[in-house]
Amino acid sequence: MNKKELELILSQLEGFENPKVKLEQYSTDASIAADCLWNVHNDKNIKGKVIADLGSGPGIFGLGAMVLGAKKVFCVELDEEALKLAKKNKRKVEKIIGRKINVKFLNMDIREFDNKVDVVIQNPPFGVKETHMDKLFLVRAMEMAKKIYSFHKMSTQDFINKFVKENGYGVVKMYHYQFPLKRSFWFHTTRTKYIDVACWYIKRKA
């Protein structure tokens, strides 16, 4: 398996059918998801690990982690419709790779999920529609894992770095992306808008 092969698999997964404004549901581009997961893989944080994908949506990160050899993945998603899509994508992945994968789908608020895991990989809401939702996802991730990969807007960099430090974590790396937001809601005026984001890799200090 190489990054291009991973991207090819992820590109065959379905994105949100009926995205919800309040939940800031945007499908993650397969090339970005594959690049992020490949970086996590190179950091030795996927193979044999128990991983949580918080706000998993259609499951692109959790399913991609399983393709790369994760031991088990929890896909935690509040929206039941999105979770049904993730289950459909799971069956598609299993057919492509020719084996069953160990994914547990949980239809719940992330505040209700209290399992300890090795790694959290998440692309949370950016807090545009519901203030501080991005912060809530970070707090919950810190309560369950020592290693976290989390997407945030670059415009929040100072806040994220300060918040991470205050909670006993350090920023190990940042992976930068131009994240495409494709027109999916009535208020979008352009076909695709690109926003400057990064995936923070943060780790609890010893």
Side-chain angles (χ1 to χ4, degrees):
M1 176 69 64
N2 57 41
K3 186 170 74 170
K4 200 65 185 175
E5 291 170 335
L6 175 63
E7 182 181 340
L8 182 60
I9 293 172
L10 298 182
S11 69
Q12 297 177 64
L13 305 186
E14 296 182 35
F16 290 106
E17 294 175 343
N18 300 297
K20 296 172 178 60
V21 177
K22 186 178 179 181
L23 298 179
E24 297 184 46
Q25 292 179 334
Y26 296 94
S27 297
T28 304
D29 186 80
S31 63
I32 291 177
D35 186 77
C36 173
L37 288 166
W38 196 254
N39 288 328
V40 182
H41 170 70
N42 287 336
D43 292 336
K44 311 297 184 188
N45 286 327
I46 289 187
K47 190 172 184 180
K49 305 294 185 182
V50 177
I51 294 171
D53 179 359
L54 303 183
S56 57
I60 193 167
F61 286 105
L63 296 174
M66 286 303 314
V67 171
L68 291 174
K71 181 179 179 181
K72 182 176 184 178
V73 168
F74 293 96
C75 284
V76 186
E77 174 55 54
L78 181 64
D79 180 22
E80 187 175 1
E81 190 176 359
L83 210 59
K84 286 180 180 177
L85 187 56
K87 292 176 181 178
K88 183 178 178 182
N89 282 334
K90 173 182 177 282
R91 293 191 292 270
K92 186 173 289 189
V93 167
E94 289 177 333
K95 186 175 181 180
I96 293 170
I97 65 176
R99 61 179 171 86
K100 294 290 185 181
I101 55 178
N102 188 12
V103 182
K104 185 168 185 179
F105 296 100
L106 299 169
N107 183 203
M108 61 172 60
D109 190 296
I110 61 166
R111 284 167 282 208
E112 300 171 7
F113 179 72
D114 58 1
N115 293 57
K116 296 295 183 183
V117 297
D118 298 313
V119 183
V120 169
I121 304 173
Q122 61 182 11
N123 182 13
F126 291 145
V128 175
K129 296 300 177 184
E130 195 166 339
T131 307
H132 303 312
M133 188 54 67
D134 52 345
K135 180 180 176 181
L136 171 62
F137 270 74
L138 268 179
V139 169
R140 292 298 295 121
M142 289 174 179
E143 290 171 349
M144 65 184 73
K146 295 180 180 179
K147 297 177 180 180
I148 300 162
Y149 292 81
S150 189
F151 279 82
H152 302 276
K153 292 193 296 185
M154 280 300 297
S155 60
T156 64
Q157 181 177 3
D158 290 343
F159 165 75
I160 297 295
N161 290 349
K162 182 173 182 286
F163 186 73
V164 164
K165 185 177 180 181
E166 289 174 347
N167 284 273
Y169 281 71
V171 178
V172 181
K173 298 175 185 175
M174 289 174 62
Y175 302 107
H176 295 86
Y177 301 99
Q178 287 294 309
F179 201 99
L181 298 184
K182 297 179 180 178
R183 184 167 59 197
S184 44
F185 300 116
W186 64 267
F187 52 83
H188 289 163
T189 56
T190 56
R191 187 181 299 274
T192 303
K193 179 181 179 181
Y194 292 88
I195 59 172
D196 194 16
V197 306
C199 180
W200 269 255
Y201 169 24
I202 65 173
K203 185 178 178 181
R204 186 180 297 164
K205 296 178 181 176

